[in-house]
Every structure is written in structure tokens, then in C-alpha cells.
């Protein structure tokens, strides 16, 4: 059973009475533990597809299934990591990571244990009590991913998280992301328009056609992992 099954998804936006077809008949399955990169020209519907999977957007046709259940809205099983990481500046690293469990009303002790487990998992033990502004970009990314994982996410969704960065920082963060992915065996659906980035990161690259976003082809990257 795939973790994610996107079946014949279409999306048409209305803008000032104008209809804009962003997606047509998009089909995509993702297996648990896969790192899938979705690439395609700007405007071909990558973000739209990711937002539908996240539950931020409702498809006009077709459906997205998580573990065989239709996606009807945002839920902790699919965590989005935003480009600016969206950490809460008034919370420490441990509190940011424990935010989901805490807001679910779990006992304090359980929240702390859960937070500490994920703090360790992403290698931030020494920074558990640090504040977001004290962290490097790579460390913020680790916190953002740990926060998603501590909230019981099965899958992490990332929309061009490194798009705005200089090449050196981008390479460092790509390394960090692969390191976390290897430690945690999480499932990642990653949108990018960079072929280099997709080939570096992904197990599988899914290419979307320009135009109304039909998924044209898939390539499996066979390079051995370091
Ligand atoms: P990509 O991520 O591949 O660049 P998007 O999914 O952002 O593509 O956009 C696909 C198409 O849908 C584009 O033509 C874009 O202008 C349009 N679109 C995206 N979001 C909206 C929206 N909220 N309202 C109207 N049109 C939108
Ligand atoms: P990254 O590759 O994550 O962007 P940097 O090169 O900025 O990392 O930082 C390298 C190391 O320096 C980090 O792993 C961390 O141990 C340490 N470091 C970075 N920022 C701080 C800080 N504000 N306070 C203490 N140590 C830091």
C-alpha cells in the first residue's frame, strides 16, 4: 500500500471570473521511506499538487489518498516544512519540537520525552535550550523537520525550501536534509525546479509537463547512497 496515492487530480482556479487550469489528471504514488522530487517548469502546477496533498487546497477532480483515506484537510500526518522554516521565535528548540504533542494536550512528561527524542534524532542535543535566532540555517531546518516528525508525521512536504538561498548554503542544507532523511527514514515529497537538486536528493524524480500539469514521466535515480 503506498503512503500517498494521487489519483486523477485536476485543479482549476477562478481568478476574476477567469478559469485557470493548474492541474489536469495528475497521478502519483509515493511509497513509505521514498524521497521523491517533483520537478517541472515554473507554473506547471507543482505547488498546487503539493498544497492539495497537504490539504490546504481542494482538488476540482480526482482525489489524494493518504494510506488509502481521502485527504480532506491539513493533518499532522503530512507536515509541511516552509521556506522560512516558520519556527516560533518565542519558544526554545525543545519547545518548538514539542509544540504538536503539547497542543494535543499530552501530559508534560510525555511532551518532554517526545521532544527530547526528536531533538536527539536530528542531532541537536546541545541546542535543546537554544532559541531559534541562535541557530544556523541548517539547524533551523533540523528543528522544522523534527517538529513535523514529533507531531507523528508520516510524510514531509517541502516546496522549494532552498530556492532563495545562495549556492553554498543550499548545498549545505541539501546535505543536512539527506542526513536527516537517512537517520529517520522519513518519506519526503520535495518540489523544485532545479534538475541538479532533484538528482542530488531524490530516489525518484517525477517530471511534470508544462501547461496544465500532467505528470509526464518518472525517473528512478540508481546512484548508491553514501
Ligand atoms: P508551480 O509550482 O509549478 O510553479 P503553481 O502550482 O504555483 O505552479 O501554479 C500553477 C498555475 O496555477 C499557474 O498558472 C498559477 O498562476 C496558477 N495558480 C496557482 N495558485 C493560484 C491561485 N491561488 N489562484 C489562481 N491561480 C493560481
Ligand atoms: P549549517 O551547516 O547548519 O548552516 P554552520 O556552518 O552555520 O552550520 O555552523 C556549524 C556549526 O557551528 C553548527 O553545527 C553548530 O555546532 C555551530 N553553531 C552555529 N551557530 C551557532 C550558534 N549561534 N551558537 C553556537 N554554535 C553555533
Amino acid at each position: 500500500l503506498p503512503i500517498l496515492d494521487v489519483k486523477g487530480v485536476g485543479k482549476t482556479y477562478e481568478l476574476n471570473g477567469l478559469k485557470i487550469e493548474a492541474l489536469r489528471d495528475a497521478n502519483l504514488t509515493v511509497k513509505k521511506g521514498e524521497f521523491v522530487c517533483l520537478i517541472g517548469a515554473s507554473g506547471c502546477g507543482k505547488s498546487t499538487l503539493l498544497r492539495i496533498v497537504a490539504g490546504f487546497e481542494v482538488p476540482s477532480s480526482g482525489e489524494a489518498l493518504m494510506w488509502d483515506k481521502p485527504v480532506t484537510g491539513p493533518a499532522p500526518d503530512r507536515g509541511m516544512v516552509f521556506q522560512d522554516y516558520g519556527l516560533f521565535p518565542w519558544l526554545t528548540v525543545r519547545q518548538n519540537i514539542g509544540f504538536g504533542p503539547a497542543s494535543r494536550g499530552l501530559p508534560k512528561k510525555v511532551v518532554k520525552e517526545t521532544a527530547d527524542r526528536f531533538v536527539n534524532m536530528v542531532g541537536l542535543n546541545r541546542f535543546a535550550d537554544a532559541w531559534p535566532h541562535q541557530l544556523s540555517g541548517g539547524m533551523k531546518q533540523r528543528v522544522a523537520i523534527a517538529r513535523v516528525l514529533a507531531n507523528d508525521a508520516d510524510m514531509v512536504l517541502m516546496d522549494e525550501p532552498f530556492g532563495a538561498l545562495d549556492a553554498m548554503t543550499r548545498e549545505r542544507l541539501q546535505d543536512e536534509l539527506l542526513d536527516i532523511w537517512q537517520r529517520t527514514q522519513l518519506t519526503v515529497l520535495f518540489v523544485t525546479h532545479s534538475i541538479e537538486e532533484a538528482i542530488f536528493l531524490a530516489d525518484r524524480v517525477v517530471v511534470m509537463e508544462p501547461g496544465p500539469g500532467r505528470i509526464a514521466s518518472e525517473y528512478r535515480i540508481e546512484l548508491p547512497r553514501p
Side-chain angles (χ1 to χ4, degrees), residues 126-127 133-139 142 169 172-173 176:
R126 289 164 49 235
F127 293 89
H133 76 268
Q134 297 175 304
L135 305 179
S136 71
M139 294 157 84
R142 284 171 186 261
T169 307
R172 219 169 48 213
L173 296 197
E176 294 256 358

Side-chain angles (χ1 to χ4, degrees), residues 29-206:
T29 60
V30 177
K31 292 203 216 71
K32 181 137 184 72
E34 265 191 314
F35 196 131
V36 174
C37 279
L38 198 55
I39 66 167
S42 169
C44 74
K46 303 181 294 296
S47 295
T48 298
L49 185 56
L50 203 71
R51 290 201 303 268
I52 286 172
V53 171
F56 299 156
E57 207 88 73
V58 180
S60 313
S61 56
E63 60 182 353
L65 303 171
M66 265 303 273
W67 294 126
D68 231 18
K69 288 206 193 75
V71 165
T72 55
D77 64 346
R78 292 154 276 126
M80 182 80 97
V81 172
F82 297 95
Q83 206 169 70
D84 60 0
Y85 303 124
L87 303 183
F88 304 120
W90 59 88
L91 299 179
T92 64
V93 165
R94 182 188 287 110
Q95 289 167 337
N96 264 281
I97 293 173
F99 184 81
S103 32
R104 289 207 306 276
L106 297 178
K108 259 201 165 114
K109 189 162 167 279
V110 177
V111 171
K112 179 158 188 310
E113 281 167 6
T114 307
D116 280 337
R117 186 153 54 86
F118 288 96
V119 165
N120 291 340
M121 191 180 281
V122 295
L124 287 175
N125 327 25
R126 289 164 49 235
F127 293 89
D129 297 311
W131 300 95
H133 76 268
Q134 297 175 304
L135 305 179
S136 71
M139 294 157 84
K140 281 182 197 159
Q141 168 173 258
R142 284 171 186 261
V143 177
I145 294 170
R147 187 172 61 180
V148 165
L149 294 175
N151 211 12
D152 277 339
D154 286 326
M155 185 158 62
V156 178
L157 309 172
M158 303 179 95
D159 192 356
E160 305 233 16
F162 311 141
L165 303 172
D166 64 90
M168 255 165 54
T169 307
R170 185 166 57 238
E171 280 175 26
R172 219 169 48 213
L173 296 197
Q174 288 169 344
D175 286 337
E176 294 256 358
L177 177 57
L178 277 188
D179 184 59
I180 298 171
W181 177 75
Q182 274 155 353
R183 280 170 191 247
T184 57
Q185 298 171 347
L186 75 165
T187 311
V188 183
L189 183 56
F190 188 104
V191 164
T192 177
H193 62 255
S194 159
I195 293 169
E196 287 88 345
E197 180 163 73
I199 287 175
F200 180 71
L201 289 173
D203 287 322
R204 187 154 59 87
V205 179
V206 174

